Amino acid sequence: MEALTSSQEEQELSADTILELLANRRRRYLLYALRGREDPIELSTLAEQVAGWEHDVPPDEVEKNEYKSVYVSSVQCHVPKLADAGVVDHDEDNHTVVLSDNFDQLEPYLRVVIKDEPENSTLHSALQAESGDGFFSQIRENVARLKH
């Protein structure tokens, strides 16, 4: 039996599924943290990053209860939902996660919803540092096209 779990590999995601997956801010933050990574990341590290973004502090300054809230909800709810859609692969034995093939279907929408994230936040700074100016200019162009 394989450790990585993804029950819907390479399947077209419906609009309802895409919207449901991106409707939750914590799931979006998990996806932001996983973008650009090719190797699996431990859920504990991922939870620290997400909790830091949620509370607008560096990951090493996250309070234990804030981290625990993110970790537990990620393990019990968010990661399984993303895995069921084939967006992530979750190794339950090693407690690691990595993006899967179906993430490509979500990424264009993730680029649109990021415009609602606070511009003066640690998340915004991290995404800008990761992608440079091109990422945000692409978002602005996509939003402008949607408005026409």
Side-chain angles (χ1 to χ4, degrees), residues 100-138:
S100 189
D101 293 334
N102 283 352
F103 174 73
D104 292 343
Q105 296 176 55
L106 280 184
E107 190 167 24
Y109 303 99
L110 193 62
R111 289 176 176 264
V112 172
V113 296
I114 196 173
K115 73 177 183 64
D116 290 333
E117 305 299 348
E119 286 190 28
N120 59 348
S121 67
T122 56
L123 169 64
H124 191 273
S125 298
L127 292 173
Q128 193 165 24
E130 168 194 305
S131 305
D133 221 14
F135 182 70
F136 290 100
S137 63
Q138 264 187 325

Side-chain angles (χ1 to χ4, degrees), residues 30-74:
L30 287 166
L31 293 171
Y32 295 146
L34 289 168
R35 283 183 63 248
R37 295 181 178 272
E38 293 188 19
D39 295 326
I41 184 173
E42 289 186 14
L43 275 172
S44 58
T45 303
L46 199 57
E48 284 178 352
Q49 182 65 62
V50 170
W53 287 339
E54 285 184 0
H55 297 281
D56 204 25
V57 298
D60 59 346
E61 293 180 21
V62 171
E63 298 290 329
K64 186 175 182 175
N65 64 326
E66 295 165 346
Y67 159 79
K68 188 175 181 180
S69 170
V70 172
Y71 183 83
V72 169
S73 70
S74 295

